[in-house]
Amino acid sequence: MAWQGLKLNLRVAQKQILTPGLVQMVSVLALNRLELREMINQEMIANPVLEELSEEATVSDNYSDETFLKAETEKVPEKEAANPFDEFDVGSFFNQYLDTGGDGGKSQEREISERPSFEKFLSSPAGLTDHLAWQLSVTICSDAVREIADNIIGNLDENGYLTASVEELAQEGKYSQDDLEDALAVVQDFDPIGVGARDLRECLLLQIKAFDPQNTLAQQVVSDHLKQVQSNQLKEIARALNRPLEVIKHTLETIKKLDPRPGLRYNKTEPRLVEPDVQFRKVDGEWQVFMNDDDLPQLRLNPTYRRLLARDAADRDVRNYVKERFTAAIQLMKNIEQRKHTILRVCQSILRRQGDFLDYGADHLRPMMIKEVAEEVDVHPSTVSRAVANKYVHTPQGVIELRYFFSESVNGPQGSEMSLLSLKRRVKKMIEEEDATQPLTDEQITKKLSDEGIHVTRRTVAKYREDLRIPSTHRRRVKS
């Protein structure tokens, strides 16, 4: 039997470890203008050494290397004249001599502490879950039904549909079938009508039964012929129900007024605020890049804390803390400057390729890959990806996301390369110009592109059409 025990072995290996400064540089590069401004404000709060540079102040010190810290620690502090107001307690003066009460200002302090926060007066829009939970709280039902209904509300998606099946809910809480059905009926009776439905058919039926219960034809159309409604097969529906075509059309107008996503009424997404990080502007006939950093806080190092680095200014712990804060501040300022430098170089590379797009529009967008720009700028492709992530540029063609300029190449006319986005725009333009009574099929679009020298398959055209969210030929056809 072999003896087992602990052994100590030495092994030499190379390992790549990201330093905190490199991690911060990567994260700063990925921030857009709004996020960077918020990050700088948070850093100024967390690091007392950082402060915003005023317009009249000038910076003459060089903070670019570690010799700055070494030089500062060797300095002897300058003795300043004592300020007589430093020993004066202003707070006690106001509390003792300017208080109108007889308890030495304690009533005022108590009044301030008991005063409600201003945050309590700020209104926030109620979401779908909050709205349904409030209705459940004023609903009379058994404890079991209330518990199940609360579980159902927690399993609704943003559109108001129930994502979990009744069987899953039953297994999760070991509820009875009767209680489950009662709880689902309670939730489906809440405002907005249609929530708690398990599919589109049930959602529309709930609304018809609530708003127009006598309209049995609409209920029958939704219940049995919903797929034909989506395909606009009105004659087939009329033939199956033995009703005139005009009656079916009138019924469909009623169905179109229903809300297929009732939950979005209380789950409205706030519009996203976009501020361009850069601007492409033509100067003397040449396109140039300008960083949009006018209202970004310009950082500098606080001179008051700088004096604490001197050897005799404070004890060792204070000097070590200030030195650590100075090192972090200098690293942040370097990373912000590096971010600006990287974005400028990437945008200059984009300009050299996309000048025709800026001059003439989207049809002249050239294919461009992230790898090509990375090789030209001499950085890793992931660096380019972070440099353009969630960032926008102001151009004569509008405010555009920087990622928009990167697209794959396809075979264009006469063997030339063509941007994938330009090809999709060409397909979209063909469909927009088609005869609505005789819409183009994917095969016909493929033939038209082939006549222009663009060789793609019918399957590829169908994929592009689906990416553009354009319905099929049958659904686009308008009957005269």
Side-chain angles (χ1 to χ4, degrees), residues 129-174:
T129 303
D130 298 331
H131 183 60
L132 296 176
W134 172 79
Q135 295 178 76
L136 180 61
S137 66
V138 296
T139 301
I140 300 175
C141 58
S142 64
D143 293 340
V145 171
R146 187 181 302 276
E147 182 180 350
I148 300 171
D150 186 62
N151 197 359
I152 291 174
I153 292 173
N155 282 278
L156 299 179
D157 62 11
E158 62 178 6
N159 298 322
Y161 287 88
L162 181 60
T163 56
S165 64
V166 177
E167 291 76 14
E168 291 174 345
L169 294 174
Q171 293 176 0
E172 181 179 346
K174 297 181 180 180

Side-chain angles (χ1 to χ4, degrees), residues 161-200:
Y161 287 88
L162 181 60
T163 56
S165 64
V166 177
E167 291 76 14
E168 291 174 345
L169 294 174
Q171 293 176 0
E172 181 179 346
K174 297 181 180 180
Y175 306 118
S176 67
Q177 190 66 27
D178 292 339
D179 288 340
L180 277 168
E181 293 177 357
D182 292 343
L184 185 59
V186 168
V187 175
Q188 290 179 348
D189 196 41
F190 287 163
D191 175 76
I193 299 298
V195 295
R198 285 154 287 189
D199 52 31
L200 177 61

Side-chain angles (χ1 to χ4, degrees), residues 46 120 236 260 424:
K120 296 183 179 180
E236 289 78 358
K424 287 184 177 181

Side-chain angles (χ1 to χ4, degrees), residues 235-252:
K235 291 183 179 180
E236 289 78 358
I237 298 175
R239 191 180 303 111
L241 297 178
N242 196 21
R243 295 294 186 96
L245 183 60
E246 292 300 323
V247 175
I248 298 298
K249 289 182 178 180
H250 179 73
T251 303
L252 285 184

Side-chain angles (χ1 to χ4, degrees), residues 276-294:
D277 289 80
V278 293
Q279 181 182 11
F280 292 165
R281 195 166 65 228
K282 212 167 193 178
V283 179
D284 297 332
E286 292 185 359
W287 289 104
Q288 296 185 14
V289 185
F290 297 89
M291 291 294 296
N292 184 18
D293 54 1
D294 293 340

Side-chain angles (χ1 to χ4, degrees), residues 156-373:
L156 299 179
D157 62 11
E158 62 178 6
N159 298 322
Y161 287 88
L162 181 60
T163 56
S165 64
V166 177
E167 291 76 14
E168 291 174 345
L169 294 174
Q171 293 176 0
E172 181 179 346
K174 297 181 180 180
Y175 306 118
S176 67
Q177 190 66 27
D178 292 339
D179 288 340
L180 277 168
E181 293 177 357
D182 292 343
L184 185 59
V186 168
V187 175
Q188 290 179 348
D189 196 41
F190 287 163
D191 175 76
I193 299 298
V195 295
R198 285 154 287 189
D199 52 31
L200 177 61
R201 178 179 286 102
E202 186 178 13
C203 177
L204 298 179
L205 285 175
L206 288 171
Q207 296 180 56
I208 295 173
K209 292 176 182 178
F211 301 139
D212 194 4
Q214 305 300 325
N215 195 342
T216 56
L217 179 59
Q219 296 180 30
Q220 192 173 4
V221 170
V222 171
S223 179
D224 302 331
H225 304 280
L226 189 57
K227 287 188 177 180
Q228 291 174 309
V229 170
Q230 294 173 335
S231 302
N232 202 26
Q233 299 176 358
L234 304 187
K235 291 183 179 180
E236 289 78 358
I237 298 175
R239 191 180 303 111
L241 297 178
N242 196 21
R243 295 294 186 96
L245 183 60
E246 292 300 323
V247 175
I248 298 298
K249 289 182 178 180
H250 179 73
T251 303
L252 285 184
E253 292 300 321
T254 302
I255 296 175
K256 288 179 181 179
K257 296 177 182 178
L258 304 177
D259 190 357
R261 298 175 179 177
L264 289 184
R265 198 179 311 169
Y266 292 93
N267 284 331
K268 294 181 179 178
T269 56
E270 295 294 329
R272 183 181 177 186
L273 182 62
V274 170
E275 287 189 9
D277 289 80
V278 293
Q279 181 182 11
F280 292 165
R281 195 166 65 228
K282 212 167 193 178
V283 179
D284 297 332
E286 292 185 359
W287 289 104
Q288 296 185 14
V289 185
F290 297 89
M291 291 294 296
N292 184 18
D293 54 1
D294 293 340
D295 61 343
L296 285 177
Q298 301 299 315
L299 298 177
R300 74 164 188 171
L301 302 178
N302 191 310
T304 304
Y305 282 91
R306 213 176 79 181
R307 287 192 291 269
L308 294 177
L309 287 174
R311 184 170 298 173
D312 299 330
D315 57 32
R316 179 179 297 177
D317 292 338
V318 174
R319 291 203 311 272
N320 289 340
Y321 169 77
V322 175
K323 186 175 181 179
E324 178 187 337
R325 295 291 87 198
F326 260 95
T327 303
I330 292 173
Q331 185 65 54
L332 176 64
M333 295 166 70
K334 284 182 179 179
N335 291 336
I336 293 175
E337 190 62 28
Q338 180 65 32
R339 170 189 178 273
K340 178 180 178 179
H341 181 64
T342 303
I343 293 176
L344 280 174
R345 291 174 62 197
V346 170
C347 289
Q348 288 167 357
S349 178
I350 293 174
L351 277 183
R352 283 190 283 272
R353 290 171 167 82
Q354 304 294 353
D356 290 342
F357 166 82
L358 298 174
D359 286 327
Y360 307 113
D363 291 336
H364 296 267
L365 184 69
R366 291 183 56 189
M368 183 174 66
M369 303 297 291
I370 287 181
K371 185 178 179 181
E372 299 174 9
V373 176

Side-chain angles (χ1 to χ4, degrees), residues 47-196:
N47 192 343
V49 172
L50 284 171
E51 66 178 12
E52 187 172 359
L53 180 65
S54 58
E55 294 182 359
E56 63 274 5
T58 58
V59 180
S60 58
D61 294 307
N62 181 18
Y63 305 133
S64 60
D65 50 28
E66 299 299 329
T67 57
F68 163 76
L69 293 176
K70 183 177 179 181
E72 288 299 325
T73 54
E74 300 294 335
K75 287 184 180 180
V76 178
E78 300 177 0
K79 294 185 178 179
E80 298 181 355
N83 190 345
F85 286 95
D86 291 342
E87 302 178 357
F88 184 71
D89 192 351
V90 180
S92 63
F93 171 80
F94 278 95
N95 285 337
Q96 184 175 358
Y97 295 101
L98 298 184
D99 182 44
T100 57
D103 57 354
K106 295 181 180 179
S107 61
Q108 183 180 2
E109 294 176 2
R110 183 169 60 252
E111 179 185 354
I112 293 175
S113 64
E114 295 176 356
R115 190 176 301 165
S117 171
F118 281 104
E119 295 179 356
K120 296 183 179 180
F121 298 98
L122 298 176
S123 61
S124 58
L128 178 64
T129 303
D130 298 331
H131 183 60
L132 296 176
W134 172 79
Q135 295 178 76
L136 180 61
S137 66
V138 296
T139 301
I140 300 175
C141 58
S142 64
D143 293 340
V145 171
R146 187 181 302 276
E147 182 180 350
I148 300 171
D150 186 62
N151 197 359
I152 291 174
I153 292 173
N155 282 278
L156 299 179
D157 62 11
E158 62 178 6
N159 298 322
Y161 287 88
L162 181 60
T163 56
S165 64
V166 177
E167 291 76 14
E168 291 174 345
L169 294 174
Q171 293 176 0
E172 181 179 346
K174 297 181 180 180
Y175 306 118
S176 67
Q177 190 66 27
D178 292 339
D179 288 340
L180 277 168
E181 293 177 357
D182 292 343
L184 185 59
V186 168
V187 175
Q188 290 179 348
D189 196 41
F190 287 163
D191 175 76
I193 299 298
V195 295

